[in-house]
Amino acid sequence: QMVATQLAKVKGRGKVYRYGGEEFTVVFRGKNAHECIDDLEEIRERVANYPFRVRDHDERPENGDAGSKMRQNRANKEGTVQVTISIGVAQRNKQADEPELVIKEADGLLYQAKEKGRNCVCY
C-alpha cells in the first residue's frame, strides 16, 4: 500500500497501473525513456527514504490522518525497515512496437536492476 501510494504521486503525467502481484507499470504517453528517468528516480528515492514500520494489528492507526501524525511524531527511525524498488524502463522501438513487447523489455531491465543490487533504475 505504501509503495502504491508513493507511485500515485508520480510526476511528468505518468499513469500507474498494477501489472501483477508486486509489479506496477507506469506509462508516460508521448515521452521517451530518457525523459522519464528523473520522475522515476524521484519515486525510487521517495520509497527508499520512507520511514516504513511494520506494526502489529493493535498498533495500526484508525485512518490515514492518524497514521501521518504517528509518523511525524516519531523522532527517530527506530523500528523501521527500508523498502526499496527496482525499476526497468523501456520505450516503443522497432523491436518492441507492441505494448506487450515494451513491457517484456522493461521487465528484462527490471531484472538487470535487481542484479545490480536493487534500488536503482535501469533503462
Side-chain angles (χ1 to χ4, degrees):
Q1 238 178 355
M2 179 276 288
V3 172
T5 299
Q6 298 307 314
L7 285 170
K9 297 176 183 176
V10 67
K11 294 179 181 173
R13 297 185 339 262
K15 186 154 178 151
V16 179
Y17 300 91
R18 187 169 184 181
Y19 182 67
E22 296 177 351
E23 293 186 356
F24 296 86
T25 297
V26 183
V27 176
F28 294 88
R29 278 191 84 177
K31 289 188 170 186
N32 65 39
H34 192 289
E35 294 171 319
C36 305
I37 300 303
D38 289 344
D39 297 322
L40 295 170
E41 281 287 357
E42 183 179 322
I43 292 171
R44 183 195 59 74
E45 289 176 11
R46 190 179 300 130
V47 170
N49 294 326
Y50 190 92
F52 187 79
R53 183 167 179 248
V54 179
R55 295 184 287 242
D56 290 330
H57 188 309
D58 60 337
E59 292 181 289
R60 294 193 177 277
E62 294 178 20
N63 57 49
D65 290 337
S68 179
K69 188 176 254 184
M70 285 173 69
R71 284 187 296 278
Q72 290 172 0
N73 289 338
R74 223 178 279 135
N76 59 35
K77 292 187 176 186
E78 183 179 321
T80 63
V81 295
Q82 185 178 29
V83 176
T84 63
I85 59 174
S86 300
I87 301 173
V89 183
Q91 67 184 36
R92 284 180 112 164
N93 58 49
K94 290 179 184 178
Q95 292 79 29
D97 62 345
E98 296 296 321
E100 295 83 10
L101 296 174
V102 178
I103 290 172
K104 186 175 181 177
E105 188 174 321
D107 196 49
L109 290 161
L110 163 67
Y111 283 96
Q112 280 185 20
K114 289 180 178 186
E115 288 173 9
K116 287 176 75 172
R118 302 177 184 266
N119 194 26
C120 65
V121 177
C122 283
Y123 57 98

